[in-house]
């Protein structure tokens, strides 16, 4: 069952799509596809997030689509989780 989380007034759908990913140090993590609408243009976009990160309650959530993401990097840099968390967050196939 998809769940929904709300972070800073932005709604994120946690889909039931998962994928396994091996980190650089060989740990296997489960990724979950998250969907949301861009905070800037409203376009639907998605990204993958480690389920570990979701359950620790400190998820890094992208607020913008690919087109507008770069403009938000400065905003997000100070609130990223540990380097370990960051490693498993990536845009699939981009
Ligand atoms: Zn956008």
């Amino acid at each position: 069952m998809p769940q929904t989380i709300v972070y800073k007034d932005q709604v994120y759908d946690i889909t039931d799509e998962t994928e396994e990913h091996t980190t650089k140090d060989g740990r296997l993590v489960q990724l979950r596809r998250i969907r949301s609408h861009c905070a800037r243009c409203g376009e639907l976009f998605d990204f993958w997030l480690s389920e570990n990160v979701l359950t620790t309650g400190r998820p890094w959530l992208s607020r913008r689509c690919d087109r507008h993401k770069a403009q938000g990097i400065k905003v997000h840099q100070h609130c990223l989780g540990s380097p370990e968390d960051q490693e498993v967050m990536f845009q699939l196939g981009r």
Side-chain angles (χ1 to χ4, degrees), residues 38 40-41 65 68:
C38 175
R40 181 169 274 259
C41 68
C65 69
H68 296 116

Side-chain angles (χ1 to χ4, degrees), residues 12-73:
Y12 297 86
D13 290 327
I14 304 169
T15 73
D16 52 9
E17 289 177 68
T18 58
E19 184 162 301
E20 288 184 340
H21 170 70
T22 308
T23 63
K24 281 177 201 157
D25 57 359
R27 285 175 309 120
L28 193 66
V29 292
Q30 192 83 11
L31 300 179
R32 182 71 71 111
R33 190 196 281 274
I34 311 290
R35 280 205 187 90
S36 189
H37 290 272
C38 175
R40 181 169 274 259
C41 68
E43 195 173 294
L44 188 70
F45 70 101
D46 54 49
F47 57 97
W48 293 86
L49 200 62
S50 156
E51 291 200 324
N52 287 343
V53 176
L54 276 174
T55 52
T56 56
R58 198 183 51 183
W60 182 88
L61 297 166
S62 180
R63 289 169 65 80
R64 295 172 184 85
C65 69
D66 277 358
R67 209 144 39 96
H68 296 116
K69 193 173 51 174
Q71 295 163 12
I73 285 174

